Amino acid sequence: MAYNVRAHMKGLFYTAGLALALGAAPGVQAVEAVLEAEPGSPMGNATASAQAETLGQEFLKTASEMWFLLSGIRDTKDADAAAPRFSEQVHKIFELDELMSRLPIVPLADDLAVGMLETLQVRILEAMDDINSEFVSLCRVNCYDSALLRDAFRSAVKMGMFAEEDFALVRISSPPMAKADAQQEMNRLQRLQEPDRVMLAVLAAVLDADSARQAVPALVRLAERLQVLLPPEHMAHNAYSDADARLMQDAIAPLQPLLWGIRNEIVRIAALPGYEAECYDAFSDTLDIAFQYLCEAHCGLSDSVFDASFRTDLDEALQQNVTSSH
């Protein structure tokens, strides 16, 4: 899994662990019954906001399941196993989208309903953005050479769920990286150690809103440094020869504990009292940008650290934050 995160870090907290947070939403058949009920009946008199919430929660549940499915793919066997379930989820998302388009336009009853639906809409957009990031990531590694997943992705693209230009990243095979390119990549990875250490130290110093504000300039500089250290597009996902792969492990080894430290600090910060308040917005926005470049600079290495369990940890941290604030 690769995170090319473009939503705020707070957005990550909303979509983390949705399958657990939402529980079992009403099924599609139940929603159909609501929409087709006779006017004037108790079911027919259900408000548009209640209907939208039912559909929205089912949509979020399906999107969360799809994200967890895609983020858990690590090899050809995983990809082959995930392909049928992915296709089912794609069809369900389109079915739910169709049901949403059929909702009657009824004035919302109160500000609370308006706020609820706006939040739901934001969460749906963020969930779909996360799914698209997983789709692009898997295309870049050629769907782990899974013909089943490539076919499932191709069908989803034809249905309009993903962009054709993203699917064009799929290549049936790629030659091993040239020796000179492999050495250049090892040198680049070694240069990532210093900005990783700085990011870990910057995040460790964030203890409250004031220290978060003070961290913003350092995060801006880090984002700029990491952007310079991004891998060239033509080598970002190429394979290595067996000899170079062994040397690459030596270059990667020092980075792994640093990335795990950064992960732990992000989760800790998510649990700070009041983190969702406006006073943390500048920090959260800047961290989001730095985090994006961090993951892109570390390519597949970040996938093993900022994985599905990272989302779960963030969700638990957010829940702890909410509970402590009350």
Side-chain angles (χ1 to χ4, degrees):
M1 181 200 66
Y3 284 34
N4 296 325
V5 181
R6 299 191 183 277
H8 299 330
M9 285 300 297
K10 290 180 184 178
L12 292 178
F13 306 153
Y14 283 119
T15 55
L18 283 175
L20 297 176
L22 291 175
V28 173
Q29 291 181 345
V31 176
E32 286 275 18
V34 172
L35 294 175
E36 295 174 0
E38 291 294 328
S41 68
M43 193 171 286
N45 289 332
T47 65
S49 60
Q51 295 171 8
E53 182 182 11
T54 298
L55 281 170
Q57 288 196 353
E58 180 72 4
F59 195 108
L60 275 174
K61 179 176 179 289
T62 304
S64 174
E65 291 171 352
M66 180 181 287
W67 181 85
F68 274 97
L69 180 74
L70 296 181
S71 67
I73 296 174
R74 294 288 185 273
D75 53 32
T76 306
K77 182 180 178 181
D78 290 343
D80 286 344
R85 180 59 181 151
F86 169 79
S87 295
E88 292 174 4
Q89 292 166 341
V90 169
H91 285 285
K92 184 171 183 180
I93 280 178
F94 274 91
E95 184 178 7
L96 288 166
D97 185 65
E98 169 64 20
L99 290 175
M100 288 180 181
S101 71
R102 291 166 50 194
L103 283 175
I105 300 176
V106 178
L108 296 176
D110 51 44
D111 292 339
L112 181 61
V114 172
M116 177 273 296
L117 289 178
E118 287 178 347
T119 299
L120 197 57
Q121 182 181 31
V122 168
R123 292 172 69 185
I124 287 174
L125 291 174
E126 290 172 344
M128 297 308 294
D129 186 63
D130 288 342
I131 288 171
N132 189 71
S133 293
E134 294 300 330
F135 173 82
V136 171
S137 175
L138 288 166
C139 287
R140 283 176 172 162
V141 295
N142 303 318
C143 298
Y144 289 104
D145 292 324
S146 167
L148 292 175
L149 189 62
R150 282 198 298 265
D151 289 345
F153 275 12
R154 185 179 293 108
S155 296
V157 169
K158 289 180 179 179
M159 293 175 69
M161 186 165 181
F162 302 103
E164 290 185 6
E165 55 265 32
D166 290 335
F167 184 68
L169 294 168
V170 172
R171 300 177 299 279
I172 302 304
S173 63
S174 58
M177 190 180 295
K179 184 70 176 179
D181 286 342
Q183 184 60 56
Q184 179 182 343
E185 177 64 1
M186 283 184 271
N187 293 339
R188 186 190 70 83
L189 289 170
Q190 289 171 347
R191 292 171 60 196
L192 286 172
Q193 292 183 41
E194 201 270 336
D196 284 359
R197 290 193 186 96
V198 173
M199 177 172 281
L200 179 57
V202 169
L203 295 179
V206 175
L207 305 175
D208 51 28
D210 288 338
S211 54
R213 280 192 294 267
Q214 293 170 17
V216 169
L219 288 175
V220 170
R221 292 191 295 270
L222 274 168
E224 293 171 350
R225 293 176 64 185
L226 289 167
Q227 186 176 15
V228 172
L229 290 171
L230 296 182
E233 184 63 30
H234 73 282
M235 334 188 319
H237 300 278
N238 282 13
Y240 303 103
S241 67
D242 291 342
D244 288 336
R246 288 191 292 271
L247 293 174
M248 193 61 63
Q249 288 302 315
D250 294 336
I252 288 173
L255 299 176
Q256 290 176 320
L258 294 171
L259 289 179
W260 275 99
I262 290 169
R263 166 182 164 145
N264 293 337
E265 291 301 326
I266 291 175
V267 172
R268 178 188 63 79
I269 291 170
L272 289 176
Y275 183 74
E276 289 191 296
E278 185 178 352
C279 56
Y280 280 97
D281 282 353
F283 170 82
S284 181
D285 293 349
T286 311
L287 177 59
D288 178 51
I289 296 170
F291 183 79
Q292 173 194 334
Y293 287 129
L294 178 80
C295 292
E296 291 179 355
H298 291 76
C299 300
L301 178 58
S302 62
D303 298 351
S304 63
V305 177
F306 303 104
D307 57 5
S309 66
F310 173 57
R311 293 297 185 92
T312 301
D313 289 348
L314 282 176
D315 183 56
E316 291 176 354
L318 178 63
Q319 295 304 319
Q320 176 184 335
N321 190 345
V322 171
T323 301
S324 62
S325 66
H326 290 81

